Amino acid sequence: MKGIYLINEKIHINGHLQDESVEIQQAALLDLMDKESVVPVKLNPYQLNQHYTIPHALFYDLKLHKKQIDCLLMYSNETIADFGATYPARWLILKSYFDRILTVA
């Protein structure tokens, strides 16, 4: 199964600092990917990380490549809450590119 994982660099998980929260998300998502046998997809060859941190960039790359991906992995629904509330139509379109959305928490 192929998937894309999204890490929110601006949330604080369980009161941890931002850097620690990113590490927690990264570790948890890599573990989930291992358990679910998900192979990460990198749509943009110029992207520095294997994961996305900006939902708008993910939306742009999905729209550009017109690919249907098996799953989107996120730490929790909180990861995308601000984006979904601010851009509800864009969030619905972004979700439509994935067959499943998996969260750790």
Side-chain angles (χ1 to χ4, degrees):
M1 179 164 49
K2 295 183 179 187
I4 291 176
Y5 64 108
L6 179 67
I7 293 178
N8 187 332
E9 294 178 330
K10 296 179 181 169
I11 61 173
H12 297 275
I13 297 174
N14 299 326
H16 287 45
L17 298 173
Q18 282 181 332
D19 291 342
E20 293 170 337
S21 293
V22 168
E23 290 175 14
I24 291 168
Q25 290 178 74
Q26 177 89 17
L29 288 168
L30 291 174
D31 187 50
L32 178 63
M33 290 170 60
D34 188 46
K35 287 179 185 173
E36 297 289 332
S37 300
V38 176
V39 177
V41 174
K42 192 171 181 178
L43 298 174
N44 184 344
Y46 302 107
Q47 184 176 318
L48 296 177
N49 298 311
Q50 188 67 39
H51 60 273
Y52 280 85
T53 57
I54 302 169
H56 291 288
L58 173 57
F59 178 78
Y60 177 82
D61 286 349
L62 288 167
K63 194 171 153 183
L64 182 68
H65 295 282
K66 298 179 181 164
K67 283 191 172 186
Q68 187 71 24
I69 310 276
D70 295 322
C71 63
L72 172 64
L73 298 104
M74 301 180 296
Y75 183 77
S76 69
N77 290 328
E78 180 187 355
T79 306
I80 199 76
D82 285 344
F83 179 80
T86 307
Y87 306 98
R90 188 167 278 204
W91 173 228
L92 286 173
I93 296 168
L94 193 147
K95 288 192 307 187
S96 72
Y97 285 98
F98 298 96
D99 296 332
R100 298 172 28 183
I101 295 178
L102 302 174
T103 58
V104 175

